[in-house]
């Protein structure tokens, strides 16, 4: 129906719903939510929804992931609130994000990773553009993206900064899917994937910039500290560290259905204090923190390695 209306307005009877009562209910639901409008006998998309359709891939990825986590919220919300280990052991969401199955590129492991990487890639395609708008990386040529996922952030940064070359470091299965994501897109020739375990393996060194986007909340405090220490080792003197990470989720004004994807991870979103404390013990200067407002608050923390 959205496809039909995107092509042009039509009459009520031309809508592709056979049941008349159901057709009427759908029209009323979409009208109430400012998706469609009625002018005399014609039904069309509202201008605001046409604007939103520019983000169709993101909308569809959010809907698909919300459907995945809605069952877990319905069945296990008490555990999410008060017994996180039980929630993580029982929910299908945390059976989806199986990093232990990202080392061997079997067909089953690739299919599982593609399911959650579709969602993270759609988010990063848009979040990465916002991050690029808040950075000045002119004059930098070598960037390491730790936990670079599908290479989507690398693509967005290469688009914004033509001199940049990016190494995306992640698990082997993730890197293989990342190559599929970038290989036909502009800027792919400036992106290299390096497979490994970022917690244990050596990272590339002498980097101008190191980025960590939506990575640190995945790990306990000691692992987050390890990653930030390794990031410091990867930077050349005077190089810059960039952290772009979700801040704690607040629900005082209510949460929409679209926020289920964030609700299921709310126990892991931290204040900036931990990251700033770790950086204070490392050879960093010019540490700066600000909040960027997207669908929820993001920390943007930048720091420069002491010369």
């Amino acid at each position: 129906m959205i496809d039909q209306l995107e092509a042009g307005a039509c009459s009520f009877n031309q809508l592709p719903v056979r049941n008349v009562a159901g057709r009427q209910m759908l029209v009323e639901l979409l009208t109430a939510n400012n998706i469609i409008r009625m002018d005399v006998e014609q039904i069309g998309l509202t201008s605001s929804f046409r604007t939103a359709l520019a983000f169709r891939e993101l909308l569809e990825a959010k809907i698909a992931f919300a459907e995945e986590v809605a069952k877990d919220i319905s069945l296990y919300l008490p555990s999410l609130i008060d017994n996180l280990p039980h929630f993580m052991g029982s929910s299908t969401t945390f059976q989806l994000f199986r990093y232990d199955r990202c080392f061997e590129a079997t067909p089953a492991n690739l299919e599982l990773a593609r399911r959650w990487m579709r969602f993270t890639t759609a988010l990063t395609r848009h979040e990465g553009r916002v991050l690029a708008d808040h950075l000045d990386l002119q004059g930098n040529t070598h960037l390491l993206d730790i936990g670079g996922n599908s290479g989507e952030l690398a693509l967005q940064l290469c688009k914004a900064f033509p001199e940049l070359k990016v190494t995306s470091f992640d698990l082997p299965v993730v890197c293989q899917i990342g190559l599929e994501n970038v290989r036909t897109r502009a800027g792919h020739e400036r992106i290299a994937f390096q497979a490994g375990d970022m917690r244990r393996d050596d990272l590339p060194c002498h980097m101008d910039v190191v980025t960590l986007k939506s990575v640190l909340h995945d790990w306990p405090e000691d692992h987050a500290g390890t990653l930030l220490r390794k990031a410091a080792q990867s930077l050349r003197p005077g190089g810059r560290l960039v952290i772009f990470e979700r801040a704690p989720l607040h629900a005082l004004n209510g949460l929409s259905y679209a926020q289920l994807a964030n609700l299921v991870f709310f126990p892991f979103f931290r204040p900036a204090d931990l990251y700033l404390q770790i950086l204070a013990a490392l050879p960093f200067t010019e540490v700066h923190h600000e909040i960027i407002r997207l669908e929820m608050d993001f920390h943007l923390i930048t720091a420069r390695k002491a010369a």
Side-chain angles (χ1 to χ4, degrees):
M1 181 171 165
I2 297 298
D3 290 339
Q4 177 179 338
L5 292 174
E6 189 175 15
C10 67
S11 69
F12 177 81
N13 289 330
Q14 290 174 315
L15 295 176
V17 180
R18 290 187 298 273
N19 181 277
V20 175
R23 195 187 314 155
Q24 181 63 39
M25 176 55 68
L26 183 58
V27 165
E28 291 179 7
L29 284 169
L30 296 179
T31 300
N33 286 279
N34 200 31
I35 306 299
I36 64 174
R37 54 173 175 73
M38 295 189 66
D39 295 329
V40 191
E41 298 296 325
Q42 293 290 296
I43 296 172
L45 299 179
T46 63
S47 59
S48 58
F49 187 69
R50 284 190 178 276
T51 300
L53 273 180
F55 304 90
R56 181 168 184 156
E57 180 187 18
L58 179 62
L59 292 171
E60 291 180 343
K62 283 189 173 187
I63 290 168
F65 192 70
E67 289 174 350
E68 295 264 6
V69 304
K71 306 166 197 172
D72 290 336
I73 297 294
S74 177
L75 291 172
Y76 305 117
L77 181 60
S79 294
L80 176 62
I81 297 296
D82 200 37
N83 189 349
L84 185 58
H86 180 264
F87 180 83
M88 293 179 68
S90 304
S91 67
T92 58
T93 302
F94 284 90
Q95 294 306 308
L96 179 63
F97 287 83
R98 288 284 301 274
Y99 298 147
D100 60 315
R101 291 184 57 179
C102 289
F103 288 90
E104 184 180 1
T106 65
N109 287 347
L110 286 164
E111 177 57 29
L112 185 69
R114 283 192 180 96
R115 285 176 59 196
W116 61 264
M117 286 179 68
R118 178 198 173 200
F119 178 62
T120 56
T121 298
L123 291 179
T124 302
R125 186 161 297 151
H126 301 280
E127 295 164 357
R129 294 171 186 167
V130 174
L131 176 59
D133 287 343
H134 283 79
L135 297 176
D136 181 7
L137 301 183
Q138 301 294 342
N140 295 285
T141 56
H142 292 87
L143 183 147
L144 171 64
D145 188 18
I146 301 177
N149 202 267
S150 65
E152 192 61 42
L153 178 61
L155 282 170
Q156 300 306 323
L157 293 177
C158 283
K159 182 178 179 180
F161 304 102
E163 298 178 358
L164 211 56
K165 296 179 181 178
V166 179
T167 300
S168 182
F169 192 100
D170 216 314
L171 297 169
V173 169
V174 176
C175 286
Q176 183 168 328
I177 297 171
L179 279 168
E180 297 170 5
N181 178 52
V182 307
R183 63 187 175 193
T184 61
R185 297 169 62 190
H188 70 92
E189 69 281 355
R190 291 187 281 136
I191 299 170
F193 286 86
Q194 183 169 332
D197 185 338
M198 59 188 173
R199 296 168 298 167
R200 300 180 178 89
D201 296 339
D202 292 335
L203 301 178
C205 293
H206 307 296
M207 293 288 158
D208 298 316
V209 185
V210 172
T211 52
L212 287 147
K213 181 203 169 293
S214 301
V215 171
L216 296 174
H217 76 266
D218 276 346
W219 305 104
E221 293 185 6
D222 57 337
H223 286 302
T226 297
L227 290 174
L228 288 173
R229 285 189 291 274
K230 295 185 78 167
Q233 293 167 2
S234 292
L235 283 166
R236 64 165 174 79
R240 294 179 64 192
L241 174 69
V242 177
I243 299 170
F244 198 50
E245 185 62 73
R246 280 175 167 75
L249 181 67
H250 299 292
L252 289 176
N253 296 319
L255 294 179
S256 70
Y257 180 78
Q259 286 278 29
L260 288 185
N262 293 321
L263 177 61
V264 76
F265 296 115
F266 92 88
F268 307 101
F269 300 144
R270 301 184 177 105
D273 299 358
L274 172 69
Y275 309 132
L276 295 173
Q277 289 170 8
I278 295 171
L279 294 181
L282 293 172
F284 283 109
T285 62
E286 302 177 33
V287 178
H288 176 72
H289 170 234
E290 63 179 306
I291 292 291
I292 306 297
R293 175 66 56 83
L294 297 177
E295 63 176 4
M296 59 180 290
D297 287 349
F298 274 68
H299 301 301
L300 173 55
I301 302 173
T302 59
R304 190 174 297 279
K305 185 174 179 178

